[in-house]
Amino acid sequence: MSTEVGAAFAIAGIFVVVAAAGQRDQSAGSAADREQITATVARWEAAWNTHDMTAFASLFHDDGVWVLWTGDVWTGRRAIEDGHAAVHKTIFRNSIQREHIEELTFVGPDAAIVRFCSMLTGSEQSPNEPIRSRKFVVVTRRRGVWKVSWGQNTRLLADVPDSECFATLRKRGG
């Protein structure tokens, strides 16, 4: 085989690999996938507001990771449930939290990044002012089910202006 023919086969092979990767990316993020992930955020809000931390933790894979606004890290669904249950018996026992998706980006057929804004009221930490935060989660599909693999909560300082996302939450009574 000549060098030119070998090079042509190599280049053709690269195009096949690139085209296949592009087809996988195009299949990622179907309307059904988006609906399931959006429903996860809605269930997140509902579980928080009913203080059902078993339901809240069920949104995570068994090996899920949650990074708190304090910097602490909870690893595993049980730690996430137990940690949230503890604070829902104390400072968050009367809290209401509203969530709104700012960004949903698929990074593959079974993985997406979700960024959502959050407004918490009724916290004993801040009884007179809402607590604003942004949450960032990586959701993955395992065995056909979308759940949170990893997430982080970042609180906003008081002087950070509201984005459109927070304006939307304020309209909802957040």
Side-chain angles (χ1 to χ4, degrees):
M1 178 183 330
S2 73
T3 306
E4 292 85 15
V5 172
F9 277 118
I11 291 171
I14 290 169
F15 281 117
V16 168
V17 169
V18 169
Q23 287 175 346
R24 278 197 313 271
D25 288 343
Q26 289 172 2
S27 68
S30 70
D33 292 334
R34 288 183 178 281
E35 287 173 17
Q36 289 174 30
I37 293 167
T38 300
T40 297
V41 174
R43 287 193 308 275
W44 178 296
E45 180 180 302
W48 183 282
N49 293 337
T50 59
H51 309 284
D52 182 349
M53 295 301 104
T54 300
F56 184 86
S58 77
L59 302 171
F60 287 80
H61 288 293
D62 288 338
D63 60 350
V65 175
W66 183 246
V67 181
L68 288 74
W69 66 274
T70 61
D72 288 333
V73 178
W74 292 338
T75 302
R77 185 186 297 167
R78 173 59 53 199
I80 292 166
E81 180 177 346
D82 291 348
H84 280 93
V87 294
H88 276 262
K89 290 177 183 171
T90 59
I91 61 172
F92 294 141
R93 68 177 156 236
N94 298 312
S95 67
I96 297 294
Q97 186 163 259
R98 300 287 181 237
E99 319 286 4
H100 185 74
I101 295 176
E102 287 184 280
E103 180 179 353
L104 170 54
T105 302
F106 286 86
V107 293
D110 296 318
I113 298 168
V114 184
R115 179 171 45 92
F116 51 102
C117 67
S118 178
M119 196 160 318
L120 178 79
T121 56
S123 167
E124 292 179 14
Q125 290 178 315
S126 180
N128 299 318
E129 289 294 322
I131 296 172
R132 298 176 305 147
S133 65
R134 282 205 166 85
K135 294 180 176 79
F136 173 84
V137 296
V138 176
V139 292
T140 56
R141 179 174 34 205
R142 299 181 192 170
R143 291 181 221 100
V145 179
W146 288 99
K147 291 191 177 193
V148 177
S149 291
W150 181 93
Q152 179 170 342
N153 182 21
T154 303
R155 288 195 179 180
L156 276 65
L157 296 174
D159 62 350
V160 174
D162 275 354
S163 65
E164 181 65 32
C165 191
F166 289 105
T168 299
L169 286 177
R170 288 188 191 281
K171 289 176 190 171
R172 285 182 53 204

